[in-house]
Amino acid sequence: MSTSQRRRAKAFEPVALDHAEAVIVDQYTRLVRLAYLTLPGRLNRHRRVLAAHSLVQRALPGFRVRHATARVPLPRTGSADGGGGGPRGTEPARTGTAYMTARVLSAALAHERRPRGWPDRLPPPRQLRPALPVVWGLRLFPRAGGTEEIALAQILSELPAPARAAFVLCRLDGLAHPEVVDLLTAADVPDPEAALRAARRVEETVGEAAGELLRSQEFDACSVQTRPTDL
């Protein structure tokens, strides 16, 4: 195994819980946006917002290995709100971010996965499982964007989930082709190259504005509006 292959494999090794928690704190907005955009468009926006937050919050690994260092967030690697930039920075930051991004992606991609023999009339198992956060009496949804954002949302809703994830990783996080392939592979996508090809076709349609559109309020599941459920 070459040095680059070993480095890429190391990026997805499980990290200590305190590292994972620090990544969640530092990159929460980015991870929620990634989950929101990867989740199926057929979910209404309220359900997608709640599901995105739930997936990120449940992405913490289930073990308690801790380092003896102080529990402080990792150095910020993107914008001030953690909204982009991908897994950059120091080696612990890169490793922890890649690992947690893969966990969030895997959960988002599996959201509508049905076991063999699962009845078509029932929602997928992950949609039946109660999960926090729970909201009663209100509907949550991101602030509406313009016509370009709405058009992009429609295009993304027609893509397979792995292609949506590849598009976001390329255009929002600015990751290179090998990094996207590694993340999709770690998230159990069977054909990352096909997902990237589909993402490139969307890039050709949307153009250079894709990154800015993805960073718009239309896709920000952390800055939401509320409405009563009966309106």
Side-chain angles (χ1 to χ4, degrees), residues 134-147:
V134 175
V135 176
W136 296 97
L138 289 174
R139 299 187 67 80
L140 310 179
F141 49 92
R143 297 178 181 276
T147 56

Side-chain angles (χ1 to χ4, degrees), residues 120-133:
D120 291 338
R121 59 187 176 82
L122 293 179
R126 286 177 179 266
Q127 295 184 27
L128 294 174
R129 182 176 60 189
L132 297 175

Side-chain angles (χ1 to χ4, degrees), residues 205-227:
T205 301
V206 179
E208 293 298 322
E212 288 302 316
L213 294 177
L214 290 173
R215 281 185 282 272
S216 72
Q217 60 187 7
E218 173 76 21
F219 306 112
D220 185 359
C222 287
S223 298
V224 297
Q225 293 180 304
T226 61
R227 290 287 186 275

Side-chain angles (χ1 to χ4, degrees), residues 64-143:
R64 291 280 165 181
V65 179
R66 292 187 179 273
H67 292 296
T69 55
R71 290 185 58 192
V72 296
L74 297 172
R76 289 195 177 273
T77 58
S79 62
D81 65 352
R88 301 286 188 252
T90 63
E91 182 64 30
R94 284 200 303 269
T95 302
T97 301
Y99 173 67
M100 294 304 295
T101 299
R103 287 180 65 88
V104 170
L105 269 180
S106 180
L109 292 168
H111 190 73
E112 283 205 319
R113 193 171 296 157
R114 296 171 180 269
R116 182 176 299 177
W118 188 262
D120 291 338
R121 59 187 176 82
L122 293 179
R126 286 177 179 266
Q127 295 184 27
L128 294 174
R129 182 176 60 189
L132 297 175
V134 175
V135 176
W136 296 97
L138 289 174
R139 299 187 67 80
L140 310 179
F141 49 92
R143 297 178 181 276

